[in-house]
Amino acid sequence: MGSSPAKPEFVNVLADKQVKEGEDVILRCEANIGEVTAKWEKNGSALECVEGKHTMTQSGTTFSLIIRNAAEEDEGSYTLKLWNDSGSASCSAMVIVELNEWRNAQWNQHPLITALRNFKISNRKVRELRFLLAGPVGAGKTSIINTIKSIFAGHQFINCLAASDSCDFTINYQKHTIGTYPFAFCDMMGIASGQSEGLHTDDVISALKGHMPNEYNFCSRIPLCENTQNYIRNPSVNDKIHCLVSVIAADKIAILENDVIQKMKTIRAEASKLRIPQLVFMTRVDKVCKMTRGDLAKIYQSKKIREKMEECSTRLGVPVNCIFPLKNYHEETNLNEELNCLMLEAFTQAVYSAHEYVTKCSQ
Ligand SMILES: Nc1nc2c(ncn2[C@@H]2O[C@H](COP(=O)(O)OP(=O)(O)OP(=O)(O)O)[C@@H](O)[C@H]2O)c(=O)[nH]1
Ligand SMILES: [Mg+2]
């Protein structure tokens, strides 16, 4: 009777690969023994071997998979499973394909910031353009204000409260100005699942119309009404919101409850009725794409980011071109030009939309 073979183990595991469209990918690893059965999987299912595309080889104890002419559909998690009578082992790696850029971006922040610093509102009755940030709890609304303040200040701004360990959530209506520039952000409590949880949609609608006083304390059960202290009965154009920015976190879109989505849709429908322009800022892109986390300038070459934007578009019912994927400052200590550029391009779009609205208001 022969002795049984050694249980398979990996000596060198598969490494993650990032390639450009059209390039070949080689995934390679080494086991302790060659007397094994080997099987490749892609995203948890047996790899469908396509002639001219995939080549699987074994040379002694080295196992390789070649993927030729990498394309979008080749992105995924690849696993090699080895087994024999003594046991089994597996190891996995991610293949990320850098797509050809599917949206153009400006990676020099100076023209963007200069244009915003020189921006003037044409309607003299309007002191500042007001942006309302609305979205689920923990979507990154307060962080967007911190990020924009940091960019304008030229250093990290950590004065307004963003949640850490989900304990510092926003509970009152807070207007934040950006230096002496004619821009103001209104920060709100987050939208939550359940009838009496989080922000009441009527409160967002009151804010859009300009009835909500600054520093108003939100109450999930009772929305703002005419009898509330400091209620703004006859709002002027300066009290109203000039652009609604819906904020959604890229890593949480898939798990957002339907009633939260429904509340966001109700708010967007009301804003449409009031002809208030609307954009979507999709935050936390670094949480869904490793390539983007490593290099933000690759964001518009990422399949994952494009998929998240499509998911966001489908769930919220907004066109993809109204969605801006972003990263906020949250743990870094130095300013980053790519991060600034993404935010400045999105913010510029919000400024132009708001400006068009206030210009129309004066006609
Ligand atoms: N990795 C990463 N984390 C982020 C980003 N933006 C925000 N965060 C983190 O996400 C958490 C929630 O951010 P907040 O800005 O407080 O979210 P919010 O929408 O104001 O939350 P509420 O006030 O509770 O509704 C914080 O821990 C932030 O540091 C981002 O782009 N990337
Ligand atoms: Mg907040």
Side-chain angles (χ1 to χ4, degrees):
M1 237 173 72
S3 60
S4 43
K7 179 182 175 306
E9 276 169 20
F10 286 98
V11 179
N12 280 314
V13 292
L14 295 170
D16 290 345
K17 293 280 160 126
Q18 189 174 313
V19 290
K20 294 190 169 46
E21 257 181 312
E23 286 180 352
D24 292 348
V25 189
I26 303 176
L27 294 174
R28 183 173 288 142
C29 58
E30 202 184 336
N32 54 339
I33 53 158
E35 297 157 341
V36 288
T37 307
K39 192 177 136 199
W40 287 91
E41 290 184 351
K42 181 184 169 196
N43 298 330
S45 309
L47 179 70
E48 283 182 38
C49 207
V50 177
E51 206 185 320
K53 169 67 113 179
H54 303 111
T55 311
M56 301 163 192
T57 60
Q58 180 184 353
S59 167
T61 55
T62 301
F63 298 81
S64 308
L65 169 67
I66 303 172
I67 307 164
R68 291 190 205 284
N69 193 13
E72 191 178 330
E73 56 275 17
D74 293 319
E75 185 163 304
S77 169
Y78 289 79
T79 303
L80 176 65
K81 287 193 169 162
L82 303 178
W83 70 92
N84 61 19
D85 290 345
S86 304
S88 64
S90 72
C91 70
S92 302
M94 270 304 292
V95 171
I96 298 176
V97 182
E98 288 176 24
L99 305 183
N100 295 324
E101 227 162 42
W102 41 267
R103 189 187 271 185
N104 290 332
Q106 151 83 276
W107 297 115
N108 176 0
Q109 65 181 358
H110 293 291
L112 292 166
I113 190 113
T114 306
L116 288 168
R117 286 200 165 123
N118 293 332
F119 184 84
K120 299 268 179 314
I121 303 171
S122 60
N123 181 348
R124 291 221 197 120
K125 280 189 237 150
V126 182
R127 284 191 300 274
E128 62 200 9
L129 298 177
R130 281 198 175 197
F131 307 91
L132 181 70
L133 297 170
V137 173
K141 300 178 291 296
T142 305
S143 301
I144 288 173
I145 301 173
N146 284 342
T147 302
I148 292 178
K149 283 190 167 209
S150 301
I151 299 172
F152 275 84
H155 60 83
Q156 274 259 48
F157 191 93
I158 41 170
N159 212 6
C160 69
L161 222 54
S164 58
D165 306 329
S166 57
C167 58
D168 287 334
F169 43 82
T170 307
I171 49 163
N172 65 0
Y173 189 57
Q174 193 72 50
K175 190 185 97 166
H176 295 272
T177 48
I178 310 293
T180 54
Y181 300 101
F183 311 125
F185 281 94
C186 297
D187 195 8
M188 298 200 105
M189 189 184 196
I191 299 165
S193 179
Q195 280 278 310
S196 53
E197 298 298 321
L199 186 63
H200 201 293
T201 48
D202 286 354
D203 274 345
V204 190
I205 294 164
S206 295
L208 286 173
K209 292 179 175 170
H211 295 302
M212 187 166 281
N214 196 24
E215 311 263 330
Y216 170 74
N217 274 313
F218 293 106
C219 173
S220 302
R221 287 166 198 278
I222 311 157
L224 178 82
C225 68
E226 292 196 18
N227 300 329
T228 313
Q229 209 188 356
N230 299 328
Y231 178 87
I232 302 172
R233 206 168 289 270
N234 299 306
S236 75
V237 67
N238 282 301
D239 299 309
K240 292 180 184 170
I241 294 299
H242 308 133
C243 178
L244 169 67
V245 178
S246 300
V247 183
I248 199 154
D251 58 324
K252 298 180 189 168
I253 299 167
I255 51 164
L256 271 185
E257 296 87 346
N258 285 333
D259 65 333
V260 171
I261 294 285
Q262 198 44 55
K263 287 180 190 180
M264 290 185 75
K265 283 187 170 171
T266 304
I267 294 162
R268 286 179 44 77
E270 191 61 30
S272 298
K273 244 196 254 170
L274 297 165
R275 302 194 173 279
I276 297 172
Q278 306 172 34
L279 301 173
V280 177
F281 284 9
M282 188 180 86
T283 59
R284 296 168 60 105
V285 292
D286 53 307
K287 292 271 190 189
V288 293
C289 175
K290 189 180 165 195
M291 176 170 82
T292 304
R293 182 162 59 245
D295 182 0
L296 260 186
K298 294 225 162 99
I299 190 163
Y300 294 131
Q301 291 172 267
S302 161
K303 181 183 177 190
K304 194 85 205 174
I305 298 292
R306 203 180 61 189
E307 281 174 355
K308 282 291 160 196
M309 286 168 68
E310 280 160 5
E311 197 176 345
C312 186
S313 159
T314 310
R315 289 209 78 187
L316 284 184
V318 289
V320 173
N321 63 3
C322 294
I323 304 173
F324 292 85
L326 301 167
K327 179 176 181 304
N328 283 311
Y329 285 113
H330 68 113
E331 58 185 15
E332 43 285 275
T333 49
N334 294 322
L335 291 185
N336 169 309
E337 184 155 12
E338 281 85 31
L339 186 156
N340 293 356
C341 287
L342 278 179
M343 183 60 87
L344 286 168
E345 282 215 86
F347 182 46
T348 300
Q349 196 55 54
V351 166
Y352 288 155
S353 305
H355 190 242
E356 206 181 310
Y357 174 76
V358 298
T359 308
K360 273 193 206 142
C361 286
S362 65
Q363 284 165 355

